Amino acid sequence: MKLQGESKFNSSCFTDFDGRFHARLAAVIPRFFMGSEESKITGTGARYQCRIKVEYHKDLMGLLEEGMLLAVRNFKQTLLGEERYTLMEISRVWPEHFGLRGLSDHGYYPMQFEIIEQSEADWETDDRSTMMIQIDAIPINYDLIIRGNNCYEFVKGFSYPIVGSPAYILNGEMINRMYNQKIAQALGIDPSQTVEDARIDPRIGIIKMFQASSTVIPIYVDFEKLVRYHFGVFAFTGGGKSNLMSNILRRLLIHADNVKVVVFDISCEYVFLLLDLLADGDMPAKVILEHRIDSLDQFFNSVVKPREYEQDERIRIGLKRIMDQDKVAFYTRPKQKIPTYSQFLEELLEQRKSSTDKPHYLNAIDKIHDAILDYMEEHGLSENQEVDEAFIMHIDKICRETIDEFKVHEKSGLFAWATTRSAILDRLRRIREEERKETGGLTAEKIRELLEGEARLICISISDPTTIKELVVTLTQDLLIRRKRRFQVKPYILLVFDEAQEFIPELSGVTGIDKKCSRQVETLLRQGRKYGLGVCIATQRIAYLNTNALQQLHTYFVGTLPRPYDRTLISDTFMIDKGILEKTLEFAPGEWLLSSYIATGIENVPIFIKADNAEKEVERYLKEAIESQ
């Protein structure tokens, strides 16, 4: 019997699995009260949990999946001809048998076994009087408004659903429209024609929904927002972090012309995972290794490969093409440090501390200090930049004139400092000469010049932690400073940090280069988006990361994280409900929970996805390489 006010089933928005799904909202349960202990350790994105009761059908348990979206009418007033529904995501599904639910452990044992045995046959029937399906669902803080003529609108905000109302499942077409419509229009693609080939389709995978009915729903992201507002990939070892990241990078470089990528590859595996792009003659790229490579065998042995490809000789074809295109170089660490403008200013500060009883010395120091600042302002320089020969010659002249003007004693420390600035010229010239002798070697400055030139992909494969961290600090400082000075935003540059616990560890308990690197990447995350510098971080232990850096991420991919503390930290940091996160424990490699404040078609709604496999792209390239020989 249809109750008064009950909305008619809308087949253009919802599915009932060919008449099998009949459900009603049974209860809306407060998750916690503000200030309670549970609220302090659980993501606060959802204040309520909804219980849905479903009439039993033997096929339904094979069709219902966590992550599906339900719609239930709510109390919000609507215009005539409109219907308004609260949307919620399924977090748990389980069947219940009336006889088994009443079974007591205190009962007579033979009777317990007989009841259990007799219940087995019931599951193969459609007996609604004995069995039902229970669903727990979490509101996603969006309403669906349905108007006539197939007009739909998603409105952000929570509306209290009407208990007792029918619950409907959004169909595949509606899910596709919800997540992909805006982005697909911007990319100029048709989601219904989706394919796995990265060069044809910019999707990053498919939505894990309606898989039992073989319905394929692709998932797209806004590449510009993904890059500019930072993203993270979190999963335990073997979860497919590097595979997913290389899959995203491949599509970024193919389908977003205004993006460049720098990969800090401490595990040395991205040369293989991006082999097809690096060997592509149309892709300006560079592989920067720790040491000079003189032969193909050396290159082959320096690349970390998946187990099934370790002895695959076809990889040599791709590596040889990379070498033939002069895309292989090595990093040259500076043997002597070039002073920065801030060092000059700090040295002057030290001179001031030792000259407080000599007013004319203080006047001399102030004059030199002002001359340095004037020079920096005139030439648009920042304190973190290295000095050049023109500056040394200029300030040496100022220092000597100032020493004479204020009668600084020749045996004083200030006199010694001011009259030895020209000695730095010799150091600068020696460093430049050594750089010219190093054929194929690249310094941080040359890597930055590559990025400002044509290069779109730079893979820095250095396994020594100290070396690669020093490079990270120098290169990111330089990039950020130069973009600030030029007020430059495009082209976007994405800096990728795999094994992020090496680059942005928690600041408490770390010192030296570890602390310096963590602070610098944190600064990059906080300031980079204003200047088109994006960051991607990936790690297996999120608990070890700098939490100030984590909070700058706007998009995140979460795989299997066995440790409860890691899941709790993600729930608290990214406002993902803990009930949804528990589903990730069942994930196979390549399956992810995706949520984004900005880069997906709908804001901050967790989506279960299966990412496309990057190794298939490499395998396709290797087959084509063999055929072309």
Side-chain angles (χ1 to χ4, degrees):
M1 183 178 79
K2 182 175 171 66
L3 300 177
Q4 184 177 2
E6 184 177 314
S7 58
K8 183 180 178 182
F9 177 76
N10 189 328
S11 60
S12 65
C13 300
F14 309 130
T15 178
D16 60 1
F17 296 115
D18 299 323
R20 299 184 184 97
F21 185 81
H22 300 282
R24 287 185 181 270
L25 175 63
V28 180
I29 308 162
R31 298 296 303 279
F32 48 79
F33 297 101
M34 295 306 293
S36 70
E37 286 302 312
E38 186 180 356
S39 71
K40 295 175 183 176
I41 61 172
T42 308
T44 54
R47 294 179 295 154
Y48 299 96
Q49 175 179 303
C50 298
R51 178 65 53 84
I52 315 292
K53 295 188 181 291
V54 188
E55 292 181 357
Y56 182 78
H57 191 286
K58 63 181 180 179
D59 296 333
L60 266 181
M61 283 303 297
L63 296 171
L64 294 173
E65 302 174 51
E66 287 93 343
M68 284 182 169
L69 296 184
L70 298 172
V72 178
R73 282 197 312 121
N74 60 48
F75 286 100
K76 282 279 181 73
Q77 294 293 324
T78 58
L79 301 175
L80 187 64
E82 287 185 351
E83 294 179 344
R84 187 164 183 141
Y85 296 85
T86 297
L87 296 179
M88 52 192 74
E89 185 166 3
I90 296 178
S91 61
R92 183 180 171 217
V93 181
W94 73 100
E96 278 195 358
H97 190 289
F98 184 79
L100 293 177
R101 189 172 185 181
L103 191 64
S104 171
D105 287 341
H106 302 292
Y108 184 48
Y109 291 160
M111 185 176 297
Q112 290 188 45
F113 279 105
E114 184 177 351
I115 293 172
I116 293 170
E117 185 178 356
Q118 289 179 355
S119 70
E120 181 186 11
D122 293 340
W123 298 116
E124 297 302 317
T125 71
D126 292 329
D127 186 357
R128 301 174 185 174
S129 63
T130 307
M131 296 164 292
M132 72 160 48
I133 295 173
Q134 302 262 34
I135 292 176
D136 277 345
I138 309 297
I140 64 172
N141 298 326
Y142 271 91
D143 282 1
L144 168 65
I145 299 177
I146 303 176
R147 301 184 181 94
N149 302 320
N150 292 328
C151 183
Y152 316 102
E153 183 182 0
F154 297 99
V155 180
K156 188 168 178 60
F158 173 76
S159 301
Y160 201 95
I162 300 174
V163 177
S165 290
Y168 305 109
I169 295 179
L170 267 64
N171 61 27
E173 182 182 347
M174 201 65 179
I175 294 293
N176 202 342
R177 181 183 292 115
M178 181 177 178
Y179 288 122
N180 293 322
Q181 187 174 38
K182 293 178 184 176
I183 298 173
Q185 288 176 351
L187 293 171
I189 56 173
D190 181 1
S192 64
Q193 304 299 316
T194 184
V195 292
E196 195 172 353
D197 191 329
R199 294 187 177 271
I200 298 173
D201 194 343
R203 78 180 197 186
I204 59 173
I206 59 174
I207 297 176
K208 276 178 56 62
M209 209 179 293
F210 304 107
Q211 291 181 306
S213 58
S214 301
T215 301
V216 177
I217 308 173
I219 180 68
Y220 299 95
V221 295
D222 186 318
F223 289 132
E224 180 176 317
K225 292 177 180 176
L226 181 73
V227 170
R228 191 170 179 182
Y229 293 91
H230 318 311
F231 66 101
V233 179
F234 311 112
F236 195 58
T237 302
K241 296 186 300 296
S242 301
N243 193 300
L244 172 67
M245 288 170 63
S246 60
N247 185 39
I248 294 172
L249 298 182
R250 178 176 286 104
R251 283 160 169 80
L252 263 173
L253 290 164
I254 293 173
H255 298 284
D257 295 333
N258 62 341
V259 176
K260 299 186 176 191
V261 174
V262 183
V263 184
F264 294 99
D265 181 20
I266 200 169
S267 53
C268 303
E269 56 188 349
Y270 282 85
V271 174
F272 170 81
L273 291 170
L274 297 173
L275 184 65
D276 54 321
L277 290 184
L278 291 167
D280 187 344
D282 295 328
M283 176 63 66
K286 205 77 167 179
V287 176
I288 302 173
L289 303 173
E290 200 164 352
H291 304 290
R292 186 198 304 272
I293 292 294
D294 296 318
S295 68
L296 183 58
D297 285 339
Q298 283 183 313
F299 196 15
F300 181 82
N301 292 331
S302 69
V303 175
V304 175
K305 301 168 279 291
R307 187 163 52 255
E308 58 270 27
Y309 285 95
E310 284 178 351
Q311 303 302 322
D312 195 329
E313 293 297 315
R314 297 177 301 168
I315 296 172
R316 293 178 180 269
I317 299 172
L319 297 180
K320 186 175 186 304
R321 290 181 181 177
I322 295 172
M323 294 184 71
D324 290 345
Q325 295 171 38
D326 194 26
K327 290 182 176 178
V328 181
F330 64 95
Y331 174 57
T332 302
R333 294 177 69 178
K335 295 181 175 61
Q336 299 183 60
K337 224 21 191 163
I338 299 175
T340 62
Y341 294 98
S342 64
Q343 284 179 248
F344 270 72
L345 296 173
E346 288 167 7
E347 289 170 4
L348 275 175
L349 181 61
E350 290 301 317
Q351 293 294 333
R352 171 178 279 277
K353 289 178 181 177
S354 60
S355 305
T356 53
D357 57 339
K358 302 180 182 68
H360 60 298
Y361 280 24
L362 297 179
N363 293 335
I365 292 169
D366 289 341
K367 182 174 180 179
I368 298 171
H369 185 275
D370 291 346
I372 295 173
L373 294 179
D374 290 343
Y375 184 91
M376 291 168 59
E377 183 177 351
E378 181 182 345
H379 293 82
L381 303 168
S382 64
E383 292 185 5
N384 289 324
Q385 287 183 265
E386 294 176 346
V387 300
D388 57 15
E389 293 185 21
F391 169 75
I392 295 297
M393 294 171 68
H394 171 77
I395 207 64
D396 178 64
K397 182 182 177 183
I398 296 290
C399 286
R400 293 182 184 277
E401 290 175 352
T402 304
I403 290 297
D404 291 339
E405 179 183 350
F406 290 95
K407 310 298 183 193
V408 176
H409 196 277
E410 61 182 15
K411 292 186 178 180
S412 67
L414 179 58
F415 183 92
W417 182 88
T419 55
T420 55
R421 296 305 88 197
S422 59
I424 299 174
L425 282 174
D426 294 334
R427 193 197 311 178
L428 283 173
R429 287 163 183 160
R430 282 197 303 272
I431 292 171
R432 302 295 183 225
E433 185 63 29
E434 287 172 1
E435 288 177 358
R436 282 192 289 271
K437 289 178 181 177
E438 292 284 3
T439 55
L442 295 178
T443 61
E445 184 180 355
K446 288 184 178 179
I447 296 172
R448 189 257 306 153
E449 290 172 357
L450 283 174
L451 276 173
E452 292 181 347
E454 294 183 355
R456 293 199 60 214
L457 171 61
I458 295 179
C459 184
I460 303 173
S461 294
I462 298 175
S463 59
D464 179 60
T466 302
T467 302
I468 199 167
K469 288 172 191 175
E470 288 175 349
L471 177 55
V472 165
V473 172
T474 305
L475 183 59
T476 55
Q477 272 184 350
D478 202 7
L479 284 171
L480 190 56
I481 288 166
R482 292 176 70 86
R483 290 218 160 189
K484 282 181 179 179
R485 191 170 71 243
R486 299 176 180 179
F487 302 101
Q488 182 182 355
V489 175
K490 294 184 178 180
Y492 299 119
I493 297 177
L494 176 66
L495 298 110
V496 180
F497 298 95
D498 198 2
E499 304 297 340
Q501 69 276 3
E502 294 285 345
F503 300 100
I504 48 171
E506 178 57 51
L507 290 173
S508 59
V510 296
T511 58
I513 188 60
D514 294 328
K515 189 169 188 176
K516 189 175 182 181
C517 186
S518 184
R519 286 193 181 280
Q520 177 56 32
V521 178
E522 179 190 333
T523 300
L524 184 67
L525 280 157
R526 282 192 283 104
Q527 301 179 11
R529 71 175 65 101
K530 293 181 286 187
Y531 304 101
L533 299 175
V535 175
C536 166
I537 63 175
T539 185
Q540 58 183 305
R541 279 308 308 272
I542 188 174
Y544 292 159
L545 297 189
N546 180 339
T547 52
N548 292 331
L550 278 180
Q551 290 168 354
Q552 306 302 319
L553 304 179
H554 281 60
T555 304
Y556 27 90
F557 298 81
V558 184
T560 301
L561 292 170
R563 296 178 178 87
Y565 181 78
D566 289 338
R567 296 195 301 277
T568 300
L569 186 59
I570 285 182
S571 177
D572 185 51
T573 305
F574 301 128
M575 303 288 283
I576 302 179
D577 187 87
K578 211 171 180 184
I580 299 292
L581 270 177
E582 294 300 317
K583 174 66 178 174
T584 62
L585 293 172
E586 305 169 20
F587 281 176
E591 296 180 347
W592 300 90
L593 174 66
L594 163 63
S595 189
S596 177
Y597 290 104
I598 198 164
T600 50
I602 192 160
E603 178 184 318
N604 202 31
V605 175
I607 315 165
F608 295 127
I609 70 169
K610 182 172 180 60
D612 291 333
N613 190 348
E615 289 182 16
K616 288 186 178 180
E617 298 294 331
V618 176
E619 179 64 30
R620 185 182 295 116
Y621 168 76
L622 293 176
K623 287 180 179 178
E624 292 172 356
I626 289 291
E627 292 171 0
S628 64
Q629 281 198 322

